[in-house]
């Protein structure tokens, strides 16, 4: 019997970008299924979280993300543009990029290619290999690499944004009910594993529950 886990994931989270290659490798090698549940980033859900942080939080975070990417051997640069918009240091402004990105993630999940789209889109956004990831055909090419028809998917998202927003809201409620609010967060057997650095612990727990190699 396949094991399964839920993945709460944000397009604005560098750590979410960093965990995806390991999740894909896990699914390729073992009989396990990832249930992708895209959520909006904290900067959009609860902007006050960042307004009350100690200044050292930001300086440490910016050191750590570059160090962690180098440790994992992943190309990394802060996105240009940032998926979340700011004005005068505040996130309380319209957010055209992150809402559409997250809704596209939901659409990819509904088409059975959720994890593949997360990998390709986040690489486009975070690797530093693409300028202005939101323009031209960058996202369309990412979707194509993930086995998706971007034009069809984007048309569906743009035609009914309220439905996709409702799915994201439900994911966010489920995430908190599962025990945390941050991303990436994996939930296996009712147990939350918050942070890309908890990947190995999740696999350890899966082995205790009979994780088996995927049949050739």
């Amino acid at each position: 019997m396949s094991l399964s886990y839920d993945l709460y994931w944000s397009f604005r989270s560098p750590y979410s970008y960093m965990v995806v290659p390991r999740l894909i490798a896990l699914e390729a090698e073992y009989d396990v299924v990832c249930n992708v549940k895209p959520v909006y980033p904290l900067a959009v859900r609860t902007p006050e979280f960042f307004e009350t942080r100690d200044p050292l939080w930001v300086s440490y975070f910016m050191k750590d993300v570059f160090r962690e990417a180098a440790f994992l051997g992943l190309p990394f640069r802060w996105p240009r543009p940032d998926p979340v918009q700011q004005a005068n240091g505040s996130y309380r402004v319209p957010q055209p990029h992150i809402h559409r990105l997250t809704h596209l993630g939901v659409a990819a999940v509904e088409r059975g290619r959720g994890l593949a789209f997360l990998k390709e889109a986040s690489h486009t956004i975070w690797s530093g290999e693409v300028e202005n990831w939101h323009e031209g055909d960058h996202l369309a090419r990412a979707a194509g690499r993930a086995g998706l028809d971007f034009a069809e998917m984007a048309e569906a998202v743009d035609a009914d944004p309220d439905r996709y927003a409702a799915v994201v809201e439900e994911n966010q409620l489920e995430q908190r009910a599962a025990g945390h609010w941050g991303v990436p967060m994996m939930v296996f057997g009712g147990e939350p594993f918050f942070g890309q650095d908890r990947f190995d612990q999740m696999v350890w727990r899966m082995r205790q529950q009979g994780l088996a190699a995927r049949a050739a």
Side-chain angles (χ1 to χ4, degrees):
M1 178 185 296
S2 297
L3 300 180
S4 67
Y5 68 97
D6 295 333
L7 171 67
Y8 298 93
W9 194 97
S10 163
F11 284 93
R12 207 274 179 129
S13 162
Y15 296 119
S16 289
Y17 157 64
M18 293 175 196
V19 78
V20 168
R22 280 170 285 169
L23 298 178
I24 288 178
L26 176 70
E27 195 168 286
E29 185 174 357
Y30 295 99
D31 191 12
V32 62
V33 175
C34 176
N35 302 313
V36 177
K37 295 179 177 288
V39 298
Y40 300 133
L42 279 181
V44 172
R45 282 187 275 167
T46 55
E48 63 274 13
F49 176 87
F50 295 92
E51 295 168 356
T52 59
R53 294 300 90 189
D54 188 297
L56 288 176
W57 186 91
V58 174
S59 62
Y60 179 83
F61 171 80
M62 293 305 293
K63 290 183 177 71
D64 188 62
V65 290
F66 284 91
R67 176 177 59 203
E68 187 68 12
F71 177 74
L72 295 171
L74 291 173
F76 181 78
R77 185 190 66 193
W78 201 264
R80 301 176 185 172
D82 191 322
V84 173
Q85 302 296 291
Q86 294 185 59
N88 300 318
S90 174
Y91 294 113
R92 300 173 189 270
V93 296
Q95 298 292 344
H97 299 322
I98 195 61
H99 285 111
R100 190 166 189 265
L101 273 172
T102 309
H103 298 174
L104 287 168
V106 171
V109 172
E110 293 177 344
R111 288 154 179 76
R113 303 296 297 167
L115 198 56
F117 182 69
L118 300 192
K119 175 182 180 295
E120 298 299 338
S122 65
H123 185 89
T124 297
I125 295 166
W126 288 96
S127 68
E129 297 172 5
V130 173
E131 293 283 348
N132 296 313
W133 54 265
H134 64 308
E135 296 179 348
D137 65 350
H138 297 308
L139 288 178
R141 292 171 64 185
R145 293 192 297 270
L148 291 160
D149 181 338
F150 183 76
E152 179 275 327
M153 187 168 68
E155 182 179 1
V157 165
D158 295 339
D160 195 1
D162 290 345
R163 185 181 79 79
Y164 290 92
V167 174
V168 176
E169 178 62 26
E170 183 62 28
N171 289 346
Q172 292 170 171
L173 293 173
E174 291 178 5
Q175 180 185 20
R176 288 194 65 87
H180 207 278
W181 62 89
V183 293
M185 174 177 154
M186 294 81 71
V187 180
F188 172 68
E191 185 175 7
F193 298 85
F194 163 58
Q196 61 88 23
D197 54 350
R198 292 297 179 265
F199 170 81
D200 290 334
Q201 288 188 1
M202 181 183 70
V203 174
W204 166 75
R205 187 67 85 199
M206 287 177 170
R207 293 187 191 280
Q208 294 176 339
Q209 299 300 320
L211 181 66
R214 189 174 294 278

